Amino acid sequence: MTKGPSIIVIGAGIGGIAAAAHLARRGLQVTVYEKNGRPGGRCDRFSQEGHSFDTGPTLLVMPLVYEAEFAALGASLHELLDLRRVDPTYRLVFDDGRQLALTSDLKAMEEQLEAIEPGSFAGFLRYLEEGHRHYHVAMERLVQRDFRTAADFFTLENLPLLFHLKPLAHHYRHMAAYFTHPRLKAAFTFQDVYMGLSPFEAPATFSMMPYTELAHGVWYPRGGMYRVVEALVNIARQAGVEFGFDAAVERIDVNGHCARGVTLAGGRQVAAGAIIANADLPYVYQQLLPQDGAAGRLAGKRFSCSTITFFWGVDQVVETLGPHTLFLADDYQGNFESIIKDLTLPENPSLYIHAPARLDPAMAPPGQDTLIAIVPVGHLDERGRQEWPGLRQQARQAVFRRLATLGITGLEAHLKFETNFTPLSWRKRYNLMKGSTHGLGHTLAQLGYLRPHNRHARYHNLYFVGASTHPGTGVPTALVSGRLVAERLLEEFQVLSQ
């Protein structure tokens, strides 16, 4: 082997970049190898004919986590990003065209909620109180903790979490304590899709998500969410991290209980004192490591859903659309059963449309529009029963049908171009097993210590960051994951800051 860097990071996703930056700031030599031509992983972007698209997250939530994690990297989030608060956060549109704008303006919320269900505003305030508790307790006791052993997690100190966080209660069913109307129950549980989960299975703990959106805000960086990636890369490069793009890792080379380095596409081998894998965890076990049964066990776990996503350049401004519009089906439970259990597309799917030019006019040419339509769908079925060209067309027509409820018709004739992703695309572009956009699901049996750990059980210098490891999916948790893994690596290798 040629002499290589002290630390190799496989994959330039958010978690990988953050971990690399932390280690480089402590004096280590770090190289990140990324199979694609640019950093970001699934937090990607592309531009066409003056239209710019984020392919992954389209909004910045949990801003307090971003602020803390950027500060841990010696940087100021607000100095590096031009953030704009989005309020209302979403406009919800129901099957009959009625709407609900989610906003931090309590007076406006009271008027809207009381019109749907008299007396519901009091329930809403109690729900926010619970969300406040869930957010702060979960962040301190679960998300920010590195559970290395069962004894770290299953403690008398953590026993009260069963009552404080309600992990044994299903989120949607738990909503009966606050609301009667099914539309309100849906309005404050749809955020579970961020974890690739159905609210009929998700723990009630996730009331923390609507809370943080309304209390801490939903934000948008000028230039799109990819600005987060660019900011992190700049921090990492200033710390001395080197990046190798279009450099796919074909194998992690191991010997006994040690990972010795990696073999890149083309056969070049690079040695390392430690490796951090930011590629999708099931993919790492299945494709990059010797087969020892672990890959099969991971493949048998619960995976998150996927999406069919349309990226449209439009030759006119669709003025009716706000920045974030969510169409929620009245058959809310049936939607999730089709996606999670049947691994298909619902007949009348709930879906989300993002118009980034409402927040940053530079995202589209003057007098034109940039639209992203995201339709949740089941992940890839190993039995091969999904016919993706047909499902893609059904999803496209569902978007046009939903837009018609807002009086937006004839949009198809104004499309300059279309790019679309299906679960097959997610698997090919980002090595996501089963095309699951959020990695392993966040069911109760796959949270905390029960989620795949951040270090390999046998190869003790092989670490993991990313959606399918602790603490879980999403940009904020990826930042936390990168820091936790860097701290553990430094501790276990007794590397002192230079």
Side-chain angles (χ1 to χ4, degrees):
M1 286 188 175
T2 59
K3 184 178 181 180
S6 298
I7 309 295
I8 287 176
V9 178
I10 303 172
I14 296 290
I17 301 170
H22 280 292
L23 293 173
R25 281 169 49 81
R26 296 290 296 272
L28 275 71
Q29 183 181 355
V30 186
T31 296
V32 179
Y33 291 110
E34 166 59 47
K35 86 176 190 71
N36 292 322
R38 56 187 174 271
R42 70 199 81 179
C43 190
D44 204 351
R45 76 164 176 198
F46 72 92
S47 298
Q48 184 173 341
E49 298 181 28
H51 300 264
S52 296
F53 302 89
D54 284 313
T55 64
T58 58
L59 40 79
L60 190 152
V61 298
M62 303 176 72
L64 301 186
V65 178
Y66 280 86
E67 291 172 355
E69 295 305 323
F70 270 70
L73 288 167
S76 166
L77 174 71
H78 296 281
E79 290 180 2
L80 295 179
L81 298 176
D82 182 4
L83 294 175
R84 173 179 175 180
R85 185 163 184 170
V86 185
D87 198 343
T89 55
Y90 308 90
R91 179 167 54 151
L92 307 184
V93 183
F94 301 101
D95 283 348
D96 59 4
R98 296 184 181 181
Q99 301 181 24
L100 172 63
L102 299 184
T103 172
S104 58
D105 183 336
L106 292 181
K107 182 62 176 177
M109 283 298 294
E110 181 178 14
E111 292 174 357
Q112 294 181 92
L113 296 177
E114 292 295 322
I116 297 173
E117 178 189 327
S120 61
F121 184 66
F124 169 71
L125 294 179
R126 289 188 291 108
Y127 183 61
L128 287 185
E129 288 179 6
E130 178 187 83
H132 173 272
R133 182 175 68 253
H134 285 180
Y135 176 86
H136 290 283
V137 173
M139 291 303 300
E140 178 184 351
R141 304 286 291 278
L142 294 178
V143 176
Q144 301 280 4
R145 294 282 302 279
D146 178 11
F147 299 107
R148 303 182 186 182
T149 67
D152 291 336
F153 185 69
F154 298 104
T155 66
L156 290 176
E157 182 184 22
N158 281 343
L159 188 61
L161 297 182
L162 293 173
F163 305 98
H164 295 322
L165 295 178
K166 297 183 173 62
L168 302 180
H170 290 156
H171 196 181
Y172 188 88
R173 184 181 300 173
H174 180 63
M175 296 302 290
Y178 305 100
F179 305 108
T180 299
H181 203 292
R183 286 184 173 176
L184 295 187
K185 294 178 182 179
F188 298 106
T189 59
F190 74 83
Q191 295 89 346
D192 295 347
V193 175
Y194 296 165
M195 275 68 70
L197 279 180
S198 161
F200 297 91
E201 297 179 292
T205 309
F206 290 134
S207 64
M208 62 185 284
M209 295 308 299
Y211 161 76
T212 185
E213 288 182 346
L214 293 172
H216 306 145
V218 168
W219 300 78
Y220 185 79
R222 183 178 296 276
M225 281 295 291
Y226 197 75
R227 295 295 189 213
V228 176
V229 176
E230 293 175 330
L232 289 170
V233 169
N234 287 337
I235 292 171
R237 282 185 165 144
Q238 290 172 9
V241 176
E242 296 183 358
F243 288 86
F245 297 110
D246 295 312
V249 171
E250 290 191 341
R251 184 177 68 245
I252 296 173
D253 300 309
V254 299
N255 183 16
H257 293 277
C258 180
R260 299 172 56 232
V262 300
T263 298
L264 303 177
R268 179 185 167 213
Q269 293 181 304
V270 187
I275 297 172
I276 300 174
N278 186 209
D280 189 41
L281 185 68
Y283 173 85
V284 172
Y285 274 90
Q286 185 180 78
Q287 299 295 332
L288 303 185
L289 287 170
Q291 296 304 298
D292 60 0
R297 290 191 294 273
L298 274 177
K301 290 183 176 292
R302 290 286 304 277
F303 282 73
S304 65
C305 64
S306 189
T307 68
I308 297 175
T309 303
F310 301 98
F311 305 94
W312 290 330
V314 186
D315 66 9
Q316 63 180 17
V317 177
V318 187
E319 296 180 355
T320 309
L321 284 175
H324 303 295
T325 305
L326 186 67
F327 295 88
L328 286 179
D330 284 339
D331 186 11
Y332 192 59
Q333 184 168 4
N335 253 253
F336 284 103
E337 287 179 351
S338 295
I339 294 167
I340 304 298
K341 295 182 180 179
D342 301 333
L343 300 180
T344 190
L345 180 73
E347 290 186 10
N348 180 37
S350 297
L351 55 92
Y352 161 74
I353 298 179
H354 176 44
R358 300 301 168 278
L359 302 169
D360 182 358
M363 301 298 281
Q368 301 184 24
D369 224 339
T370 295
L371 299 181
I372 302 171
I374 300 176
V375 187
V377 69
H379 63 62
L380 292 173
D381 187 343
E382 295 175 345
R383 295 164 291 185
R385 300 185 302 175
Q386 298 148 316
E387 200 271 308
W388 289 111
L391 291 173
R392 181 176 56 204
Q393 181 60 17
Q394 290 177 38
R396 181 185 292 109
Q397 293 307 312
V399 176
F400 294 139
R401 188 171 61 250
R402 289 290 200 175
L403 288 172
T405 65
L406 296 179
I408 302 170
T409 59
L411 179 65
E412 195 167 9
H414 292 277
L415 299 186
K416 298 167 59 181
F417 61 85
E418 172 184 297
T419 296
N420 58 73
F421 288 2
T422 70
L424 294 171
S425 312
W426 297 113
R427 183 176 66 181
K428 180 179 180 180
R429 288 173 180 267
Y430 308 111
N431 289 337
L432 303 180
M433 183 175 284
K434 301 186 180 182
S436 295
T437 50
H438 300 81
L440 293 178
H442 292 68
T443 60
L444 181 60
Q446 295 178 181
L447 287 176
Y449 178 76
L450 303 178
R451 197 164 184 80
H453 301 170
N454 298 104
R455 194 188 72 172
H456 196 281
R458 178 176 181 181
Y459 310 119
H460 293 168
N461 62 337
L462 173 58
Y463 299 82
F464 304 111
V465 294
S468 293
T469 61
H470 176 74
T473 193
V475 176
T477 45
L479 291 169
V480 174
S481 177
R483 175 175 53 78
L484 292 177
V485 164
E487 290 173 351
R488 181 171 185 177
L489 188 155
L490 287 164
E491 176 187 330
E492 292 180 343
F493 279 74
Q494 298 182 346
V495 178
L496 299 177
S497 177
Q498 294 183 358

